[in-house]
Amino acid sequence: MLGNELLTPTFKVRTSLFLLKLCVHTSITCKETNESKVVRFLKKSRLCDRIAKIQELFDSIIMLSNHLHNGIESGNLIWSRVPESDDASTDGVGLLSSPRDGGGVDSLDYEVIENYAYREEQAHRGKLYVGYYVAVKWFFSLLIGIGTGLAAVFINLSVENFAGWKFALTFAIIQKSYFAGFVVYLVINLVLVFSSAYIITQFAPAAAGSGIPEIKGYLNGIDIPGTLLFRTLIGKIFGSIGSVGGGLALGKEGPLVHTGACIASLLGQGGSTKYHLNSRWPQLFKSDRDRRDLVTCGCAAGVAAAFRAPVGGVLFALEEVTSWWRSQLMWRVFFTSAIVAVVVRTAMGWCKSGICGHFGGGGFIIWDVSDGQDDYYFKELLPMAVIGVIGGLLGALFNQLTLYMTSWRRNSLHKKGNRVKIYEACIISCITSAISFGLPLLRKCSPCPESIPDSGIECPRPPGMYGNYVNFYCKTDNEYNDLATIFFNTQDDAIRNLFSAKTMREFSAQSLLTFLAMFYTLAVVTFGTAVPAGQFVPGIMIGSTYGRLVGMFVVRFYKKLNIEEGTYALLGAASFLGGSMRMTVSLCVIMVEITNNLKLLPLIMLVLLISKAVGDAFNEGLYEVQARLKGIPLLESRPKYHMRQMIAKEACQSQKVISLPRVIRVADVASILRSNKHNGFPVIDHTRSGETLVIGLVLRSHLLVLLQSKVDFQHSPLPCDPSARPIRHSFSEFAKPVSSKGLCIEDIHLTSDDLEMYIDLAPFLNPSPYVVPEDMSLTKVYNLFRQLGLRHLFVVPRPSRVIGLITRKDLLIEENGESSAVELQQSTSVRGRYSETTTRTDAARPLLDDLLG
């Protein structure tokens, strides 16, 4: 009984408390039971006098006895419904996975938990702090732009110099011995790729791949362990230098997006605690919502640094990686991208003097085709549409082939250990080196065409230098090898050659078809290896190859002198990226910015729309396919079609809800946290009439903080008054570390005395979680969940009454707190007399305050 824990364990006192509880349950008083034999017995023993003396003391206990009794019954019900560890396990990687499970993912809390700690903290903050908070956000945007720009400069400078030294040395050696030149070329590539694979496998496994699916999952609300750590940043930078400099069929643009996100996250958390590179003053953004904004700025900065396309970076973050957007974030993202553009432009201007080695000749992607085709004919729209169809088909095929290859690697090859991953990367490096070095020998050298005055194009170009017309093992000095011009070259220089204007008949159809088949195969095989790998530049090379083929056909068919093959190469690049990645607006702006030709904008839009439509008819985009393969549960922008026939109640029947009473034993909390992996628990209370009431949601991470601190333990199972006892926690104490290695129940040690104590959860729960009725359409629930960035959503029975109705007019509040004078047409008949008679003070008072009071 409840009295055993509240009073001395005498039989008479227990009998009196039982009588009081019986009186409460039957709604009668002691005066109404005067005629009963039990009361007459109690009067003779003078227990009624004792009851009368303590009746005032126990009035509150009597009113809450029903609640506590039901709470104990609810606890017993919980134990009967708690799933075992085997039942709670899910197939694959799911939201219920614990961070310590190894390889599992966890959801992020983008919703603001408005508990009493949060309210108390907000109440002590004035306008000065709000201004400081906003100023720090803008300052961090500046730092993100500078840091990402410098990282991009370092990566490009290293890649260009490694590649420049490699090609210069190889060209010098092959003049004497072809075989010796091949050995040197292969060894240099092998060393660079080996260093990249070794860094990834031994130091930063999360830095493999492009990183865009992981960042997209993070901004979608999924936290993947190790994605934004300091070692991941280091592995991404130096791994990209090795993989791209080693000549593999991949790019550095995707890794730069991941690099910018890592820099933003590390700035938000004040550095790295593991490597003792942290500071306390930047640790202002401890919530997942603030970190999400910083990571979004980092993604845009990465694209702006990779392509020198600041507007394209903003649109990439808006279209491709984020699920939730607001106007304030737009300004900061735009500012960050602008800073990156300034940093990159300054670095390139500083390197033009030649102090950066080979960096001045190549470096950042900028393929200026402004001197190309000025206008286009109506007859050209048909072959351009054909380019869009080809891009959609080849892009969809690329996604499917990479899916098969990556699945085979994960299920068969990579399970054998890190050594096999290194061997695989080295073998692919040797194959790539052999193909790029040996295939040009199959083509005969061609005589140089007549040079066009003022074109700036030299044939043949000097060995190891930037330009068209590579003299690769040719018999005479006035010849060039067209296959070596795009194969035995850096990818950036090869794309410049494919995009170049005024180079009619530079490439033969046989060379372009050979390069397309071999490089397409190499890109499929290379994607998924244990090195940082982006797919932007390989996609541009593939698309520009068949685009130039179509351009050659159009030139010969229409016989127009002002049609440039390089224009069709540009459209082909856009079509393949649209067919593979399924981007439209951001990719269109990126292509315009990197080519510096606004006249081609309508044509790029045309091929992107066609290629995306064709690709969508077969499969999903590249990043969505890779995210699903990696077990990242993304919520796409559009719900599934069959959700239209489902309601919210049907969706939540597969998962048992474990509710907690408001005041709960510490032992019960610890047992619940050990026996299941739920991250959120509804908290229930009872009104004075005994009606069950859901008062909020408490997170697993918050319960772990309470168990570890132990400062909120209490001996009494009665609710506390938070106004009488100050909150002993700041809101920042409940923040989860960005490394996803937060508290676990196994790390908390509780004594036997601790387990017998209680916790009042009311001050620490979220009193205003999002709620939907049980018969709401699942499509509507999906859109609400995704657009608000939620982690938990309550499904409740249909409410019994409406206390008010909010319209647009009610939300147009001026500074003085009164509604604006905007007149809106609305029906006031739905507002009952209840809403008219309710005072402003009662309306503004939270429901939880009434319960706690």
Side-chain angles (χ1 to χ4, degrees):
M1 293 287 296
L2 182 61
N4 293 342
E5 301 177 0
L6 297 179
L7 299 177
T8 57
T10 63
F11 173 77
K12 295 181 180 180
V13 175
R14 289 201 303 267
T15 305
S16 62
L17 289 178
F18 173 78
L19 176 63
L20 289 176
K21 186 175 181 182
L22 179 63
C23 294
V24 172
H25 277 292
T26 57
S27 301
I28 58 176
T29 62
C30 286
K31 294 182 180 180
E32 295 171 343
T33 60
N34 283 338
E35 301 300 327
S36 65
K37 295 181 180 180
V38 179
V39 174
R40 287 197 298 270
F41 169 77
L42 293 175
K43 282 184 176 180
K44 290 181 181 180
S45 59
R46 297 180 181 179
L47 284 178
C48 278
D49 295 337
R50 296 173 59 186
I51 294 172
K53 291 180 181 179
I54 65 174
Q55 185 172 3
E56 182 178 358
L57 177 63
F58 285 96
D59 278 342
S60 60
I61 302 177
I62 295 171
M63 289 184 293
L64 292 173
S65 61
N66 187 28
H67 153 68
L68 294 174
H69 180 68
N70 291 336
I72 296 175
E73 292 180 353
S74 300
N76 295 330
L77 180 62
I78 288 173
W79 301 127
S80 64
R81 297 174 59 184
V82 168
E84 299 294 336
S85 58
D86 295 337
D87 299 335
S89 63
T90 57
D91 295 333
V93 180
L95 291 180
L96 299 180
S97 299
S98 173
R100 290 286 180 91
D101 291 343
V105 298
D106 197 8
S107 294
L108 296 168
D109 294 297
Y110 288 155
E111 182 183 358
V112 177
I113 307 300
E114 297 179 344
N115 54 21
Y116 277 88
Y118 175 79
R119 294 180 183 178
E120 210 172 79
E121 188 174 298
Q122 294 296 318
H124 289 84
R125 293 179 175 179
K127 290 186 177 181
L128 183 61
Y129 182 85
V130 174
Y132 168 75
Y133 184 74
V134 174
V136 171
K137 280 188 174 182
W138 283 95
F139 180 66
F140 272 36
S141 300
L142 174 67
L143 294 181
I144 293 171
I146 295 175
T148 307
L150 292 178
V153 169
F154 176 73
I155 292 175
N156 280 275
L157 189 148
S158 302
V159 169
E160 287 294 319
N161 278 284
F162 276 125
W165 296 332
K166 175 180 64 178
F167 286 114
L169 181 61
T170 304
F171 272 111
I173 294 177
I174 63 176
Q175 302 300 326
K176 301 177 181 179
S177 172
Y178 177 82
F179 181 76
F182 170 71
V183 171
V184 171
Y185 180 76
L186 186 144
V187 169
I188 294 176
N189 285 338
L190 186 61
V191 170
L192 291 173
V193 174
F194 173 80
S195 65
S196 176
Y198 186 83
I199 290 172
I200 297 303
T201 55
Q202 304 297 327
F203 181 68
S210 68
I212 294 181
E214 289 82 359
I215 300 303
K216 186 174 181 178
Y218 182 87
L219 297 178
N220 194 260
I222 302 299
D223 190 10
I224 305 169
T227 303
L228 300 173
L229 298 181
F230 178 73
R231 67 170 180 266
T232 303
L233 172 64
I234 299 300
K236 211 72 176 181
I237 293 176
F238 289 96
S240 298
I241 295 173
S243 60
V244 179
L248 294 180
L250 44 83
K252 55 183 176 294
E253 289 68 34
L256 268 176
V257 175
H258 195 177
T259 299
C262 290
I263 292 174
S265 178
L266 291 171
L267 283 174
Q269 65 174 332
S272 175
T273 56
K274 181 178 180 179
Y275 298 98
H276 307 288
L277 299 173
N278 60 329
S279 177
R280 290 187 177 181
W281 75 267
Q283 298 180 13
L284 186 65
F285 307 106
K286 292 189 175 182
S287 67
D288 291 334
R289 177 187 290 257
D290 292 332
R291 288 172 182 164
R292 174 189 60 184
D293 294 348
L294 293 177
V295 170
T296 304
C297 293
C299 291
V303 176
F307 295 101
R308 290 181 59 198
V311 180
V314 176
L315 294 177
F316 176 83
L318 174 61
E319 178 186 7
E320 187 64 22
V321 295
T322 58
S323 305
W324 186 85
W325 198 263
R326 52 198 175 99
S327 58
Q328 297 92 336
L329 182 60
M330 173 74 79
W331 282 103
R332 290 199 298 273
V333 171
F334 186 78
F335 173 71
T336 305
S337 300
I339 295 299
V340 171
V342 172
V343 172
V344 171
R345 174 63 69 178
T346 304
M348 293 189 68
W350 181 63
C351 289
K352 282 184 178 179
S353 59
I355 60 176
C356 298
H358 294 272
F359 181 75
F364 287 92
I365 298 174
I366 181 71
W367 304 301
D368 194 346
V369 295
S370 58
D371 57 346
Q373 188 171 337
D374 295 331
D375 202 357
Y376 54 90
Y377 301 94
F378 180 79
K379 296 179 181 180
E380 295 183 71
L381 295 180
L382 179 60
M384 291 176 181
V386 172
I387 290 178
V389 174
I390 297 175
L393 294 175
L394 291 181
L397 178 62
F398 182 85
N399 294 353
Q400 203 65 33
L401 292 177
T402 53
L403 175 63
Y404 292 151
M405 286 294 301
T406 309
S407 300
W408 174 76
R409 280 192 176 97
R410 289 178 176 271
N411 298 330
S412 302
L413 192 62
H414 287 178
K415 285 185 177 181
K416 298 180 181 179
N418 292 331
R419 184 175 297 179
V420 176
K421 297 179 182 179
I422 298 177
Y423 290 161
E424 179 198 20
C426 293
I427 291 174
I428 294 176
S429 173
C430 294
I431 295 174
T432 304
S433 300
I435 291 175
S436 61
F437 200 95
L439 274 183
L441 293 179
L442 302 179
R443 292 292 302 168
K444 294 181 179 180
C445 293
S446 304
C448 287
E450 295 181 5
S451 60
I452 301 176
D454 301 329
S455 63
I457 298 176
E458 183 180 358
C459 181
R461 74 176 192 188
M465 300 299 292
Y466 159 75
N468 301 68
Y469 303 109
V470 175
N471 187 312
F472 182 77
Y473 211 63
C474 295
K475 295 181 180 179
T476 63
D477 295 337
N478 198 31
E479 293 181 339
Y480 76 99
N481 192 313
D482 59 345
L483 192 55
T485 301
I486 50 178
F487 234 137
F488 194 71
N489 214 335
T490 62
Q491 294 180 6
D492 293 344
D493 291 346
I495 295 174
R496 287 189 185 92
N497 297 338
L498 290 169
F499 282 2
S500 62
K502 301 177 182 179
T503 55
M504 200 73 66
R505 300 182 180 88
E506 177 184 0
F507 304 99
S508 64
Q510 294 84 354
S511 297
L512 292 178
L513 285 174
T514 303
F515 177 80
L516 176 63
M518 297 307 302
F519 194 83
Y520 191 94
T521 304
L522 288 175
V524 171
V525 173
T526 307
F527 189 80
T529 53
V531 293
Q535 283 306 114
F536 275 100
V537 168
I540 292 175
M541 291 191 67
I542 294 171
S544 58
T545 303
Y546 67 76
R548 185 138 187 149
L549 275 169
V550 176
M552 293 171 61
F553 170 79
V554 173
V555 169
R556 294 179 182 179
F557 185 80
Y558 290 113
K559 298 180 180 179
K560 299 288 185 179
L561 297 179
N562 57 346
I563 296 179
E564 287 289 349
E565 298 174 0
T567 301
Y568 286 83
L570 169 65
L571 298 179
S575 68
F576 185 84
L577 292 179
S580 176
M581 301 179 183
R582 312 295 160 78
M583 297 189 302
T584 53
V585 179
S586 58
L587 183 57
C588 181
V589 174
I590 289 174
M591 296 302 294
V592 171
E593 287 187 282
I594 63 179
T595 55
N596 196 23
N597 195 336
L598 192 60
K599 296 178 182 179
L600 302 178
L601 178 61
L603 304 180
I604 297 175
M605 295 172 64
L606 173 66
V607 297
L608 281 176
L609 290 173
I610 295 176
S611 61
K612 185 181 186 303
V614 173
D616 286 339
F618 293 95
N619 50 30
E620 296 178 309
L622 178 64
Y623 300 137
E624 288 76 12
V625 170
Q626 295 299 320
R628 188 175 71 251
L629 184 64
K630 294 179 180 180
I632 303 175
L634 290 179
L635 292 179
E636 300 299 333
S637 58
R638 186 171 56 185
K640 301 298 182 182
Y641 180 80
H642 63 271
M643 289 186 178
R644 301 180 182 181
Q645 309 298 328
M646 299 177 64
I647 60 175
K649 184 178 181 180
E650 297 175 357
C652 62
Q653 289 178 350
S654 61
Q655 197 174 33
K656 295 181 180 180
V657 179
I658 298 180
S659 301
L660 305 181
R662 173 181 166 178
V663 182
I664 185 172
R665 289 178 61 211
V666 174
D668 296 345
V669 176
S671 299
I672 291 175
L673 295 180
R674 287 192 182 97
S675 59
N676 68 88
K677 300 176 182 178
H678 291 213
N679 290 300
F681 303 92
V683 180
I684 60 174
D685 204 345
H686 294 81
T687 61
R688 297 178 182 180
S689 61
E691 181 183 359
T692 302
L693 186 67
V694 179
I695 62 174
L697 172 75
V698 62
L699 297 179
R700 181 188 190 94
S701 58
H702 291 194
L703 291 174
L704 292 173
V705 172
L706 297 178
L707 292 181
Q708 187 189 46
S709 63
K710 303 181 182 181
V711 296
D712 295 286
F713 292 178
Q714 61 185 36
H715 295 279
S716 173
L718 301 178
C720 64
D721 185 4
S723 61
R725 188 182 69 177
I727 301 296
R728 300 183 180 94
H729 297 277
S730 63
F731 187 71
S732 59
E733 293 180 29
F734 296 110
K736 184 182 64 174
V738 72
S739 60
S740 298
K741 294 182 179 180
L743 284 175
C744 287
I745 187 62
E746 292 80 8
D747 300 332
I748 300 175
H749 304 283
L750 299 170
T751 64
S752 57
D753 294 337
D754 294 334
L755 296 175
E756 295 301 323
M757 302 186 74
Y758 295 85
I759 304 178
D760 186 0
L761 302 178
F764 311 103
L765 54 82
N766 182 11
S768 55
Y770 288 93
V771 178
V772 296
E774 59 182 349
D775 56 350
M776 177 181 283
S777 168
L778 190 58
T779 301
K780 197 173 182 179
V781 173
Y782 184 96
N783 293 328
L784 178 69
F785 196 95
R786 185 182 185 276
Q787 292 172 7
L788 294 179
L790 302 181
R791 188 179 188 182
H792 303 96
L793 185 63
F794 282 0
V795 179
V796 299
R798 182 161 290 279
S800 58
R801 65 174 182 174
V802 178
I803 64 172
L805 182 66
I806 294 179
T807 63
R808 183 183 297 269
K809 183 178 181 180
D810 300 317
L811 300 178
L812 298 175
I813 306 299
E814 300 294 340
E815 289 293 334
N816 55 9
E818 297 183 2
S819 300
S820 66
V822 178
E823 294 293 338
L824 298 177
Q825 295 180 357
Q826 60 177 344
S827 174
T828 58
S829 60
V830 294
R831 299 176 181 267
R833 291 185 177 271
Y834 179 83
S835 60
E836 295 176 0
T837 58
T838 304
T839 61
R840 181 177 296 273
T841 303
D842 294 336
R845 188 176 185 182
L847 177 62
L848 188 57
D849 288 350
D850 294 333
L851 292 174
L852 297 180

